[in-house]
């Protein structure tokens, strides 16, 4: 079982950048597919991005394509979400998740980190 800790959120002006981190402990991190969801007030949680094992494939939602990207450092058991050209509509709590690609596919979640983009 992996334990995930999200960090890096904060307040930023529109057009700015932030990098979120998600650090994992427990489990075999290199086997984990990792990703991010976000949830804005009054809205459902929505997919943001995911990264395959070895980082060979990154998927991003259309709403963030070209502005957000993911990377991973298996040596540090950490994934990153680099967010650029931030917009007020990106304001949300961002949640990291992961699942073992060779296991049960059960998703584990971080505690969430708040991102607020001011106009």
């Amino acid at each position: 079982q992996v334990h995930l800790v999200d960090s890096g959120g904060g307040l930023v002006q529109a057009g700015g950048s932030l990098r979120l981190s998600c650090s994992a402990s427990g489990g075999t991190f290199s086997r984990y597919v990792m990703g991010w969801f976000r949830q804005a007030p009054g809205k459902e949680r929505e997919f943001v991005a995911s990264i395959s094992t070895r980082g060979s494939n990154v998927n991003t939602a259309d709403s963030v394509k070209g502005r957000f990207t993911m990377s991973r450092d298996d040596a540090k058991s950490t994934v990153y979400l680099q967010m650029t050209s931030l917009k007020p509509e990106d304001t949300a709590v961002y949640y990291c998740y992961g699942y073992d690609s060779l296991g049960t596919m059960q998703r584990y979640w971080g505690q969430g980190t708040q991102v607020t983009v001011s106009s």
Side-chain angles (χ1 to χ4, degrees):
Q1 181 173 341
V2 67
H3 178 62
L4 303 177
V5 177
D6 308 328
S7 63
L11 174 64
V12 63
Q13 289 187 333
S17 300
L18 277 177
R19 188 178 76 161
L20 305 184
S21 299
C22 175
S23 297
S25 59
T28 304
F29 183 75
S30 60
R31 289 176 10 183
Y32 277 72
V33 175
M34 303 294 295
W36 295 88
F37 272 68
R38 68 185 181 185
Q39 188 165 21
K43 295 186 177 181
E44 294 186 355
R45 192 174 291 194
E46 65 170 345
F47 169 79
V48 176
S50 65
I51 188 167
S52 63
T53 57
R54 295 194 293 271
S56 55
N57 188 35
V58 175
N59 291 316
T60 52
D62 287 344
S63 59
V64 305
K65 201 172 294 290
R67 300 188 298 121
F68 293 10
T69 190
M70 278 193 73
S71 60
R72 64 188 298 154
D73 185 339
D74 286 353
K76 296 182 178 180
S77 298
T78 301
V79 293
Y80 305 97
L81 180 67
Q82 181 67 50
M83 307 186 294
T84 62
S85 302
L86 283 160
K87 304 175 181 180
E89 51 263 45
D90 294 320
T91 295
V93 178
Y94 284 70
Y95 297 91
C96 169
Y97 73 88
Y99 65 85
D100 189 339
S101 62
L102 299 179
T104 64
M105 305 300 183
Q106 177 184 352
R107 277 183 180 170
Y108 298 95
W109 294 90
Q111 82 286 2
T113 185
Q114 175 71 48
V115 172
T116 302
V117 184
S118 63
S119 57

